[in-house]
Each structure stands twice: as C-alpha cells, then as structure tokens.
Amino acid sequence: MKETSAGNHRRLLLIDDDPNLILLVKDYLEFRGYDVITAENGREALEVLEQETPDMIICDVMMPEMDGYSLVSAIRQDPKTSWVPVLFLSAKGQSQDRVKGLNIGADVYMVKPFEPEELVAQVESSLKQASRLIQHKDSKGGDSSPKIQVPFDVDLTPTELRVVHFVARGMANREIAEELKVSQRTIESHVSNMLGKTGLHNRTELARWAIENGMA
C-alpha cells in the first residue's frame, strides 16, 4: 500500500541523466507520498521551472547540456525559484566537491551511492526548514511577498472554482481527476484555462491567488 503521510502531496523536481536512477528514486519518493516530476539535464529542468515551481529540487551534478552547478546558479538568481531547497546527488565525494556544491547554492550534498531512507530524511528535513523560514518571514510582517495580481474581471466557471480549490489544497492533477471522476487531461485543460484567464505562470501562483482571495 502506498504511503502518503510523509510527502503530503509535496512536489519534487528530480534531475539526473541516468534513467535507472530516475526510475528508482522516483518510485521510492512516490511510495513515500511525494509527487515527482523529472528532467534529464539542467536545460530541460529550466524548461520545467518556467511552467511550475516545485517544493524542492533533487539534482545530479555531472550532466550533459547543462550541469548541476550551472542549473543551481540560475535557480538562485531567479526570484521565483531562489527560495526552493536544492539537494545535490553526486558521485563526486571529495571535500572540495561538497564545498563547491554548497557554495554554489545547494542546501544538501549527498554522495552516490546513498541509502534511500537517508535521502527521504534529507528531503523531509529540508522541506521542514523551508516551511519554518516562510512562517518566520510571514510572522514578522511587512517583509512578506506582495499579493498576487490578476485582472479584476476574472470569471471562473463553477468547475474551475472546484478545481482551483483542490489546487490550493496542494493536490496534484491526478488526484483532482480522481476526486472529480474525470480524466487527468481534463484537469490539465482546466488549469491551463485558469492560467490563461489570470495571467499567472504556474500552479503555485494559482494556488496562492486562490488562498489570498478566499477560494480555498
């Protein structure tokens, strides 16, 4: 039976050019309740990040097209993703490799091969730390992000309102489809339509807008 308590529908971006490692890590993390999207290299990962912002990024260091160092540098320079926790997975385990990875902007540096349970523990620890930082920032006031701005005349259909309610609860498209007893493609279409109406860039912004406006 699939475990769901640990991930609580958190979305992770897993980047590695080794398809076998991708399959193994993806299966293990999904078993622990995480929603995992994948990319084969840094350039493909940047294309994914243009569409949505994950809760955490797990990234190989040595990859074709764009390596992990270049990717994390780009992530840290973009205000939309600068806050996202990053975990490096690398076969390079020398002290100078770890130092370089952490200095580039990774939050955690793990060496391959690794124990899956340790990977999950590091992921959970990083997500908890990110949540504490966000809560601390919000509690101080005046330093929080401005409200999401959308056109004042946005008109969502009743179905779209139901879908955005589930999006704001952190549910993946697959789970929303199961809840509403429709296909995942139908949910993806509704989300795409809402992004078009609101001018927002991804599900994270859509969820934040829904919460700020009392839709969830």
Side-chain angles (χ1 to χ4, degrees):
M1 183 175 181
K2 183 176 180 178
E3 296 183 14
T4 57
S5 58
N8 195 24
H9 308 309
R10 296 293 189 96
R11 175 160 286 199
L12 311 179
L13 172 58
L14 173 62
I15 312 150
D16 201 295
D17 62 329
D18 181 347
N20 291 324
L21 185 139
I22 284 278
L23 284 173
L24 288 171
V25 175
K26 185 175 188 290
D27 283 350
Y28 197 85
L29 289 170
E30 288 183 339
F31 178 75
R32 296 301 294 264
Y34 292 98
D35 188 11
V36 182
I37 49 179
T38 64
E40 294 182 357
N41 56 62
R43 198 167 301 283
E44 185 178 318
L46 287 180
E47 294 175 1
V48 172
L49 292 170
E50 288 179 2
Q51 303 300 318
E52 59 182 298
T53 305
D55 295 291
M56 186 170 179
I57 296 168
I58 301 172
C59 181
D60 188 17
V61 173
M62 305 307 295
M63 298 180 292
E65 299 285 334
M66 176 186 284
D67 65 17
Y69 296 136
S70 300
L71 172 63
V72 173
S73 294
I75 288 169
R76 291 294 177 245
Q77 291 169 14
D78 185 345
K80 191 178 74 173
T81 56
S82 61
W83 61 271
V84 178
V86 175
L87 185 154
F88 264 150
L89 289 176
S90 177
K92 302 176 70 174
Q94 297 296 318
S95 175
Q96 60 266 30
D97 298 319
R98 295 172 182 268
V99 169
K100 181 177 180 180
L102 296 171
N103 285 340
I104 285 288
D107 299 278
V108 181
Y109 192 106
M110 290 185 64
V111 178
K112 303 175 184 176
F114 54 87
E115 289 294 330
E117 286 294 336
E118 183 183 359
L119 175 63
V120 171
Q122 292 284 12
V123 167
E124 292 177 357
S125 175
S126 296
L127 289 171
K128 288 175 184 176
Q129 183 177 8
S131 296
R132 286 196 298 269
L133 289 173
I134 292 170
Q135 291 169 5
H136 176 67
K137 182 178 178 182
D138 290 343
S139 68
K140 295 187 74 171
D143 192 34
S144 58
S145 301
K147 287 190 68 174
I148 292 282
Q149 298 296 320
V150 302
F152 70 91
D153 57 349
V154 171
D155 184 23
L156 301 184
T157 67
T159 301
E160 288 172 345
L161 286 170
R162 292 186 70 190
V163 172
V164 79
H165 171 80
F166 290 124
V167 169
R169 288 172 53 186
M171 294 174 64
N173 289 344
R174 180 187 67 256
E175 296 165 325
I176 300 173
E178 292 173 355
E179 183 74 24
L180 297 182
K181 295 179 173 58
V182 298
S183 70
Q184 183 172 330
R185 186 177 295 275
T186 297
I187 300 302
E188 291 169 353
S189 177
H190 284 310
V191 171
S192 178
N193 288 340
M194 287 189 286
L195 292 176
K197 288 181 178 180
T198 59
L200 299 176
H201 299 94
N202 51 56
R203 294 173 93 261
T204 302
E205 289 186 357
L206 189 64
R208 202 176 126 206
W209 172 67
I211 291 170
E212 289 176 353
N213 289 273
M215 299 178 193

